Amino acid sequence: MKISMFDDRIEISSPGSLLPDISVEEYLNGQISVFRNPIISNIFFRLNYIEKLGTGIRRINEAYHESLVKPKYRVFENSILVILPVFNSYLDLSEKENEIVKCLNKHQLLTRNQLDKMIGFHKAKTNRVLKKLLEKDMIVKNGKGKTTKYQLKK
């Protein structure tokens, strides 16, 4: 296992693939857990090295339930990567910036006009807030003119 810490996220890379009986969807939803080595898992549990068996993904998802940014999971053929955003990376946002981030988090990709209608800002105000979010490297701008769309940076 490899753990990498960054200012805005923690990445946990675990070698090995999912067991054949578990689908990616079941893994990501935390629905099912099968231990590679149940004897070692039980020993670690009894020694209090692990708190609960097979509840990690579900507990991560619950911890980020109210968060503006969600964890990302990448399941590869021979490894699994879990990316956990740091909670405090959005604490320095203004109320208006938070409103736009919440909309982009919910709808993924929106035009400025769509944001105006959802939040109730006028064009100039939305543009100012979007510019600040771009400067803070929180969002990405795609396209030009009226078809320009914004999304949260991944």
Side-chain angles (χ1 to χ4, degrees):
M1 183 179 306
K2 176 183 166 191
I3 299 174
S4 302
M5 297 181 73
F6 302 92
D7 290 340
D8 63 339
R9 70 192 183 284
I10 298 170
E11 293 183 3
I12 303 164
S13 178
S14 180
S17 61
L18 293 176
L19 293 173
D21 296 341
I22 299 178
S23 71
V24 173
E25 185 178 346
E26 288 171 323
Y27 172 77
L28 295 178
N29 290 324
Q31 292 174 311
I32 190 169
S33 181
V34 178
F35 304 106
R36 288 187 190 277
N37 192 324
I39 294 170
I40 291 176
S41 299
N42 192 18
I43 290 170
F44 282 153
F45 179 73
R46 289 174 183 225
L47 291 172
N48 292 320
Y49 283 117
I50 56 177
E51 187 177 327
K52 294 182 180 179
L53 298 174
T55 61
I57 297 298
R58 185 173 59 243
R59 291 171 65 204
I60 289 170
N61 291 337
E62 288 171 4
Y64 283 86
H65 179 70
E66 295 292 323
S67 177
L68 293 174
V69 290
K70 305 294 183 202
K72 293 181 176 66
Y73 305 96
R74 302 228 165 74
V75 180
F76 301 102
E77 189 174 336
N78 295 308
S79 66
I80 298 170
L81 177 65
V82 178
I83 302 169
L84 304 172
V86 175
F87 282 117
N88 65 3
S89 63
Y90 290 103
L91 292 179
D92 65 340
L93 296 182
S94 71
E95 185 179 327
K96 292 170 180 64
E97 291 168 337
N98 265 315
E99 287 182 54
I100 287 181
V101 169
K102 284 180 186 177
C103 282
L104 291 173
N105 190 45
K106 185 175 181 182
H107 298 282
Q108 305 295 316
L109 199 62
L110 294 170
T111 64
R112 193 220 76 249
N113 192 34
Q114 289 170 316
L115 286 164
D116 289 342
K117 290 176 184 173
M118 291 174 140
I119 299 171
F121 293 170
H122 54 80
K123 177 182 176 180
K125 181 183 250 181
T126 304
N127 280 333
R128 279 193 305 273
V129 177
L130 287 169
K131 183 178 178 185
K132 286 180 184 178
L133 289 170
L134 285 165
E135 289 169 0
K136 291 181 179 184
D137 204 27
M138 303 280 300
I139 62 172
V140 177
K141 180 178 175 180
N142 299 309
K144 291 184 180 182
K146 289 185 178 186
T147 61
T148 302
K149 293 192 176 186
Y150 299 88
Q151 68 183 73
L152 290 178
K153 189 167 184 178
K154 295 178 183 180

